[in-house]
Amino acid sequence: MSVIKVGHVSLNVTDLNAAEKFYTEVLGLTVSARRDGEVYLRTAEDQDHHNIVLKASDSAGLDHVGLKVNSPDDLEELETLVLRTGTQVWRVSDREEVGQGEGVRFVVPSGQTFEVFYHIDNLGYEVGMENPDPVTFFVGAKAARLDHLLISAADAEDNQKFFTEILDFGASEVLRDPEGKIIASWMYCTTTMHDVAMSPGPEGGLHHVALWLDSRADVVRAVNWMKKNKVRTFDYGITRHGISGATTIYFHDPAGNRLELFTGPYVTPGVPGRVKEITWTLDQFPRGVFYYERELDMKFFEDLT
Protein backbone atom coordinates (compact mmCIF):
# COMPACT_ATOMS: atom_id res chain seq x y z
CA MET A 1 0.00 0.00 0.00
CA SER A 2 1.26 3.48 -0.82
CA VAL A 3 0.18 6.60 1.10
CA ILE A 4 1.24 9.53 -1.06
CA LYS A 5 0.36 12.41 1.27
CA VAL A 6 -1.78 13.73 4.10
CA GLY A 7 -4.67 14.80 1.90
CA HIS A 8 -6.75 16.69 4.41
CA VAL A 9 -7.34 17.38 8.08
CA SER A 10 -10.90 17.83 9.35
CA LEU A 11 -11.14 20.15 12.38
CA ASN A 12 -13.99 20.79 14.79
CA VAL A 13 -14.67 24.50 15.35
CA THR A 14 -17.10 26.24 17.66
CA ASP A 15 -18.01 29.16 15.37
CA LEU A 16 -18.04 28.11 11.72
CA ASN A 17 -18.37 31.66 10.34
CA ALA A 18 -15.48 32.96 12.44
CA ALA A 19 -13.33 29.98 11.49
CA GLU A 20 -14.03 30.40 7.77
CA LYS A 21 -13.14 34.08 7.97
CA PHE A 22 -9.88 33.25 9.77
CA TYR A 23 -8.75 30.50 7.39
CA THR A 24 -9.57 32.54 4.28
CA GLU A 25 -8.69 36.12 5.22
CA VAL A 26 -5.79 35.47 7.61
CA LEU A 27 -4.26 32.24 6.28
CA GLY A 28 -5.21 32.68 2.63
CA LEU A 29 -7.08 29.43 1.97
CA THR A 30 -9.92 29.29 -0.58
CA VAL A 31 -13.42 27.88 -0.05
CA SER A 32 -14.09 25.02 -2.47
CA ALA A 33 -17.48 23.97 -1.04
CA ARG A 34 -19.95 24.57 1.76
CA ARG A 35 -22.50 22.19 3.23
CA ASP A 36 -24.66 22.38 6.34
CA GLY A 37 -22.21 22.60 9.23
CA GLU A 38 -19.12 22.17 7.02
CA VAL A 39 -16.71 24.32 5.04
CA TYR A 40 -14.18 22.77 2.63
CA LEU A 41 -10.97 24.72 2.02
CA ARG A 42 -7.92 24.28 -0.16
CA THR A 43 -4.43 25.72 -0.21
CA ALA A 44 -2.91 27.72 -3.05
CA GLU A 45 -0.43 25.13 -4.30
CA ASP A 46 -2.59 22.00 -4.27
CA GLN A 47 -4.93 20.84 -7.03
CA ASP A 48 -7.10 18.67 -4.74
CA HIS A 49 -10.63 19.75 -3.89
CA HIS A 50 -9.83 20.33 -0.21
CA ASN A 51 -7.04 20.15 2.35
CA ILE A 52 -8.82 21.52 5.44
CA VAL A 53 -12.40 20.77 6.46
CA LEU A 54 -14.08 22.86 9.16
CA LYS A 55 -16.96 21.17 10.99
CA ALA A 56 -19.34 22.97 13.35
CA SER A 57 -19.09 21.48 16.84
CA ASP A 58 -19.49 22.27 20.53
CA SER A 59 -15.73 21.97 21.05
CA ALA A 60 -12.49 22.27 19.12
CA GLY A 61 -10.34 19.32 18.13
CA LEU A 62 -9.58 16.77 15.47
CA ASP A 63 -12.46 15.14 13.62
CA HIS A 64 -10.34 12.98 11.30
CA VAL A 65 -7.29 12.86 9.04
CA GLY A 66 -7.48 11.87 5.38
CA LEU A 67 -4.55 10.02 3.79
CA LYS A 68 -4.43 9.91 0.00
CA VAL A 69 -3.28 6.62 -1.55
CA ASN A 70 -1.86 5.78 -4.96
CA SER A 71 -4.37 3.17 -6.16
CA PRO A 72 -8.00 2.21 -5.54
CA ASP A 73 -6.70 -1.29 -4.72
CA ASP A 74 -4.96 0.24 -1.70
CA LEU A 75 -8.36 0.70 -0.02
CA GLU A 76 -8.99 -3.05 0.00
CA GLU A 77 -5.45 -3.80 1.13
CA LEU A 78 -5.62 -1.28 3.97
CA GLU A 79 -8.98 -2.61 5.14
CA THR A 80 -7.55 -6.14 5.32
CA LEU A 81 -4.39 -5.03 7.17
CA VAL A 82 -6.28 -2.97 9.76
CA LEU A 83 -8.84 -5.70 10.39
CA ARG A 84 -6.00 -8.13 11.16
CA THR A 85 -4.97 -5.88 14.06
CA GLY A 86 -8.43 -6.25 15.60
CA THR A 87 -9.27 -2.61 14.89
CA GLN A 88 -12.74 -1.67 13.68
CA VAL A 89 -12.95 -0.45 10.08
CA TRP A 90 -15.85 1.28 8.37
CA ARG A 91 -16.43 2.51 4.85
CA VAL A 92 -16.92 6.12 3.80
CA SER A 93 -19.25 6.21 0.81
CA ASP A 94 -18.62 8.07 -2.43
CA ARG A 95 -19.41 11.81 -1.95
CA GLU A 96 -20.03 11.39 1.77
CA GLU A 97 -17.34 14.05 1.91
CA VAL A 98 -17.80 16.76 -0.71
CA GLY A 99 -15.53 16.28 -3.70
CA GLN A 100 -14.19 12.92 -2.53
CA GLY A 101 -14.71 9.29 -3.46
CA GLU A 102 -15.13 6.33 -1.15
CA GLY A 103 -12.71 5.71 1.68
CA VAL A 104 -11.82 3.40 4.54
CA ARG A 105 -11.88 4.85 8.06
CA PHE A 106 -10.36 3.46 11.27
CA VAL A 107 -8.94 4.53 14.63
CA VAL A 108 -5.16 4.34 15.15
CA PRO A 109 -3.76 3.02 18.47
CA SER A 110 -3.42 6.56 19.87
CA GLY A 111 -7.17 7.15 19.45
CA GLN A 112 -7.39 9.51 16.47
CA THR A 113 -9.61 8.74 13.48
CA PHE A 114 -7.87 8.34 10.14
CA GLU A 115 -9.19 7.44 6.71
CA VAL A 116 -7.60 6.52 3.40
CA PHE A 117 -9.06 7.54 0.05
CA TYR A 118 -7.99 7.38 -3.58
CA HIS A 119 -10.22 9.74 -5.54
CA ILE A 120 -10.67 13.43 -4.90
CA ASP A 121 -11.85 15.98 -7.44
CA ASN A 122 -9.01 17.83 -9.13
CA LEU A 123 -9.72 21.55 -9.35
CA GLY A 124 -6.38 22.60 -10.82
CA TYR A 125 -4.21 25.36 -9.43
CA GLU A 126 -5.77 28.67 -8.44
CA VAL A 127 -3.43 30.54 -10.81
CA GLY A 128 -4.88 28.59 -13.73
CA MET A 129 -3.84 25.60 -15.80
CA GLU A 130 -2.96 27.33 -19.07
CA ASN A 131 -0.18 29.89 -19.34
CA PRO A 132 -0.34 30.78 -15.62
CA ASP A 133 1.32 33.90 -14.25
CA PRO A 134 3.90 32.94 -11.60
CA VAL A 135 3.72 36.42 -10.05
CA THR A 136 0.43 36.22 -8.23
CA PHE A 137 -1.12 38.13 -5.36
CA PHE A 138 -1.96 35.87 -2.43
CA VAL A 139 -4.42 36.78 0.28
CA GLY A 140 -3.27 36.68 3.88
CA ALA A 141 -0.43 34.46 5.07
CA LYS A 142 0.00 32.75 1.68
CA ALA A 143 -0.30 29.20 3.05
CA ALA A 144 0.97 27.11 0.15
CA ARG A 145 -0.07 23.60 1.20
CA LEU A 146 -0.91 21.31 4.09
CA ASP A 147 2.34 19.91 5.47
CA HIS A 148 1.89 17.77 8.62
CA LEU A 149 0.15 17.30 11.94
CA LEU A 150 1.25 16.33 15.45
CA ILE A 151 -1.00 14.03 17.47
CA SER A 152 -0.72 12.84 21.06
CA ALA A 153 0.00 9.21 21.90
CA ALA A 154 0.06 7.45 25.27
CA ASP A 155 2.40 4.89 23.67
CA ALA A 156 4.29 6.44 20.76
CA GLU A 157 6.28 3.24 20.19
CA ASP A 158 3.10 1.23 19.63
CA ASN A 159 1.71 3.99 17.42
CA GLN A 160 4.91 4.13 15.36
CA LYS A 161 4.67 0.37 14.83
CA PHE A 162 1.14 0.75 13.44
CA PHE A 163 2.14 3.57 11.09
CA THR A 164 5.17 1.58 9.92
CA GLU A 165 3.61 -1.85 9.49
CA ILE A 166 0.08 -0.92 8.40
CA LEU A 167 0.39 2.48 6.71
CA ASP A 168 3.93 2.06 5.35
CA PHE A 169 5.36 5.23 6.91
CA GLY A 170 9.01 5.63 7.82
CA ALA A 171 10.46 7.35 10.90
CA SER A 172 13.02 10.12 10.46
CA GLU A 173 13.54 11.23 14.08
CA VAL A 174 12.60 9.80 17.47
CA LEU A 175 12.79 10.86 21.10
CA ARG A 176 13.83 8.08 23.49
CA ASP A 177 13.67 7.88 27.27
CA PRO A 178 16.73 6.76 29.31
CA GLU A 179 15.67 3.12 28.87
CA GLY A 180 15.58 3.52 25.09
CA LYS A 181 11.79 3.47 24.67
CA ILE A 182 10.37 5.74 21.95
CA ILE A 183 8.22 8.47 23.50
CA ALA A 184 7.87 10.71 20.43
CA SER A 185 8.27 10.08 16.73
CA TRP A 186 8.37 12.05 13.46
CA MET A 187 7.12 9.94 10.55
CA TYR A 188 7.05 10.48 6.80
CA CYS A 189 5.29 9.12 3.73
CA THR A 190 6.44 11.85 1.33
CA THR A 191 9.71 13.69 0.70
CA THR A 192 9.40 15.93 3.75
CA MET A 193 10.87 14.66 7.01
CA HIS A 194 7.49 14.28 8.69
CA ASP A 195 3.88 14.07 7.62
CA VAL A 196 2.51 12.75 10.92
CA ALA A 197 4.30 13.16 14.24
CA MET A 198 3.33 11.87 17.67
CA SER A 199 4.25 13.11 21.15
CA PRO A 200 3.30 12.00 24.69
CA GLY A 201 -0.26 12.73 25.73
CA PRO A 202 -3.76 11.33 26.13
CA GLU A 203 -5.48 9.32 23.43
CA GLY A 204 -7.24 11.22 20.67
CA GLY A 205 -5.46 14.54 21.15
CA LEU A 206 -4.34 17.01 18.49
CA HIS A 207 -1.31 19.20 19.15
CA HIS A 208 -1.15 21.13 15.88
CA VAL A 209 -1.70 21.20 12.14
CA ALA A 210 1.09 22.72 10.04
CA LEU A 211 0.77 24.68 6.81
CA TRP A 212 3.76 25.07 4.51
CA LEU A 213 5.16 28.43 3.46
CA ASP A 214 7.72 28.69 0.68
CA SER A 215 10.44 30.62 2.53
CA ARG A 216 11.54 32.09 5.84
CA ALA A 217 10.69 35.51 4.40
CA ASP A 218 7.12 34.28 3.91
CA VAL A 219 6.99 33.29 7.60
CA VAL A 220 8.06 36.81 8.62
CA ARG A 221 5.49 38.30 6.26
CA ALA A 222 2.79 36.00 7.63
CA VAL A 223 3.54 36.99 11.22
CA ASN A 224 3.31 40.66 10.27
CA TRP A 225 -0.06 39.97 8.67
CA MET A 226 -1.31 38.03 11.70
CA LYS A 227 -0.19 40.79 14.08
CA LYS A 228 -1.99 43.33 11.93
CA ASN A 229 -5.09 41.16 12.29
CA LYS A 230 -4.57 40.85 16.06
CA VAL A 231 -3.77 37.12 15.99
CA ARG A 232 -1.72 36.16 19.03
CA THR A 233 1.29 34.05 18.05
CA PHE A 234 3.02 31.67 20.43
CA ASP A 235 5.29 33.28 23.03
CA TYR A 236 8.50 31.94 21.50
CA GLY A 237 7.97 34.04 18.37
CA ILE A 238 9.61 33.02 15.11
CA THR A 239 12.04 30.28 15.99
CA ARG A 240 13.70 27.19 14.60
CA HIS A 241 13.36 23.49 15.38
CA GLY A 242 16.45 21.40 16.02
CA ILE A 243 14.26 18.50 14.92
CA SER A 244 13.87 19.03 11.14
CA GLY A 245 15.82 22.32 11.15
CA ALA A 246 12.68 24.17 10.05
CA THR A 247 11.63 27.76 10.73
CA THR A 248 8.33 27.94 12.60
CA ILE A 249 5.65 30.01 14.29
CA TYR A 250 2.65 28.72 16.31
CA PHE A 251 -0.76 30.28 16.94
CA HIS A 252 -4.42 29.24 17.39
CA ASP A 253 -7.52 29.49 15.25
CA PRO A 254 -10.64 31.12 16.79
CA ALA A 255 -11.81 27.77 18.20
CA GLY A 256 -8.49 27.07 19.91
CA ASN A 257 -6.96 24.55 17.49
CA ARG A 258 -3.20 25.13 17.37
CA LEU A 259 -1.70 25.78 13.95
CA GLU A 260 1.85 26.15 12.68
CA LEU A 261 3.38 27.96 9.73
CA PHE A 262 6.45 26.03 8.74
CA THR A 263 9.26 26.05 6.16
CA GLY A 264 12.68 24.57 5.47
CA PRO A 265 12.87 20.94 6.72
CA TYR A 266 15.26 18.47 5.16
CA VAL A 267 13.94 16.03 2.57
CA THR A 268 13.40 12.28 2.79
CA PRO A 269 13.17 9.77 -0.08
CA GLY A 270 9.46 9.09 0.42
CA VAL A 271 10.20 5.37 0.77
CA PRO A 272 10.15 3.91 4.31
CA GLY A 273 13.38 2.56 5.71
CA ARG A 274 15.64 4.56 3.39
CA VAL A 275 16.80 7.02 6.06
CA LYS A 276 18.36 6.15 9.40
CA GLU A 277 16.43 7.49 12.40
CA ILE A 278 17.93 10.44 14.22
CA THR A 279 17.68 9.90 17.98
CA TRP A 280 17.06 12.65 20.56
CA THR A 281 17.59 12.20 24.29
CA LEU A 282 15.46 13.90 26.91
CA ASP A 283 18.25 16.19 28.12
CA GLN A 284 18.67 17.63 24.59
CA PHE A 285 14.98 17.68 23.68
CA PRO A 286 14.46 21.40 24.47
CA ARG A 287 17.10 22.22 21.85
CA GLY A 288 15.36 19.84 19.48
CA VAL A 289 12.02 21.61 19.83
CA PHE A 290 13.19 25.25 20.10
CA TYR A 291 16.73 25.51 18.81
CA TYR A 292 17.21 29.23 19.43
CA GLU A 293 15.81 29.31 22.97
CA ARG A 294 17.10 25.86 24.05
CA GLU A 295 14.45 25.70 26.71
CA LEU A 296 11.00 24.14 26.78
CA ASP A 297 7.95 24.52 28.98
CA MET A 298 6.34 21.08 28.83
CA LYS A 299 2.93 22.77 28.98
CA PHE A 300 3.53 23.32 25.28
CA PHE A 301 2.84 19.60 24.76
CA GLU A 302 -0.01 19.49 27.27
CA ASP A 303 -2.11 22.08 25.41
CA LEU A 304 -4.18 19.83 23.16
CA THR A 305 -7.58 19.87 21.50
Side-chain angles (χ1 to χ4, degrees):
M1 189 191 71
S2 177
V3 177
I4 58 176
K5 69 174 184 175
V6 177
H8 65 264
V9 175
S10 181
L11 295 172
N12 295 322
V13 296
T14 51
D15 185 329
L16 193 59
N17 290 332
E20 179 182 331
K21 182 180 176 69
F22 178 84
Y23 281 85
T24 56
E25 296 182 8
V26 177
L27 297 184
L29 277 64
T30 302
V31 175
S32 52
R34 294 184 183 89
R35 191 166 61 180
D36 286 348
E38 297 178 336
V39 177
Y40 292 76
L41 301 151
R42 67 180 181 129
T43 54
E45 296 182 10
D46 199 312
Q47 295 188 20
D48 286 351
H49 180 274
H50 58 271
N51 310 112
I52 298 286
V53 182
L54 305 176
K55 297 176 74 73
S57 177
D58 293 334
S59 59
L62 181 65
D63 179 69
H64 73 272
V65 181
L67 303 176
K68 190 176 183 180
V69 293
N70 196 47
S71 165
D73 294 337
D74 289 337
L75 301 182
E76 300 285 348
E77 181 182 349
L78 186 282
E79 185 174 36
T80 300
L81 289 172
V82 174
L83 284 171
R84 285 176 182 170
T85 70
T87 301
Q88 181 183 1
V89 175
W90 62 101
R91 286 278 180 163
V92 177
S93 61
D94 183 35
R95 306 296 156 171
E96 186 173 328
E97 295 179 52
V98 179
Q100 185 176 305
E102 67 175 335
V104 174
R105 193 171 289 190
F106 52 93
V107 177
V108 299
S110 54
Q112 295 84 4
T113 300
F114 277 68
E115 70 180 18
V116 296
F117 64 93
Y118 167 70
H119 173 79
I120 188 166
D121 292 352
N122 188 311
L123 302 184
Y125 293 119
E126 290 184 1
V127 294
M129 298 300 290
E130 184 175 346
N131 304 321
D133 188 339
V135 181
T136 306
F137 173 75
F138 287 90
V139 174
K142 193 183 172 184
R145 63 181 183 270
L146 176 63
D147 190 80
H148 67 269
L149 70 153
L150 173 60
I151 58 177
S152 61
D155 187 337
E157 194 161 283
D158 186 43
N159 223 42
Q160 176 176 305
K161 182 179 179 182
F162 183 93
F163 273 78
T164 301
E165 297 181 356
I166 306 301
L167 298 177
D168 230 9
F169 277 61
S172 59
E173 307 200 24
V174 295
L175 170 67
R176 295 183 183 272
D177 67 16
E179 286 71 45
K181 182 177 175 60
I182 295 172
I183 56 177
S185 179
W186 289 259
M187 307 200 71
Y188 67 90
C189 62
T190 65
T191 55
T192 186
M193 59 78 59
H194 68 317
D195 297 281
V196 177
M198 50 206 71
S199 61
E203 290 190 357
L206 172 68
H207 187 270
H208 71 263
V209 174
L211 297 165
W212 172 275
L213 298 185
D214 289 332
S215 70
R216 183 181 176 90
D218 284 339
V219 177
V220 174
R221 175 185 172 277
V223 172
N224 287 339
W225 179 251
M226 287 193 290
K227 293 300 185 182
K228 181 177 177 63
N229 284 274
K230 299 180 173 58
V231 177
R232 182 180 178 275
T233 55
F234 191 66
D235 292 340
Y236 285 99
I238 295 176
T239 187
R240 190 174 188 187
H241 291 316
I243 298 166
S244 83
T247 297
T248 176
I249 186 72
Y250 292 96
F251 53 98
H252 293 86
D253 72 9
N257 296 302
R258 185 191 280 108
L259 302 170
E260 178 185 21
L261 295 177
F262 174 91
T263 193
Y266 61 86
V267 298
T268 51
V271 179
R274 296 293 181 88
V275 297
K276 188 176 180 180
E277 292 177 358
I278 294 171
T279 295
W280 289 84
T281 55
L282 282 170
D283 63 314
Q284 293 297 313
F285 189 51
R287 181 172 64 88
V289 179
F290 295 119
Y291 179 72
Y292 293 157
E293 297 78 8
R294 304 194 178 211
E295 60 182 35
L296 174 63
D297 183 347
M298 287 306 294
K299 289 181 180 178
F300 177 70
F301 285 102
E302 297 168 2
D303 179 17
L304 304 168
T305 55

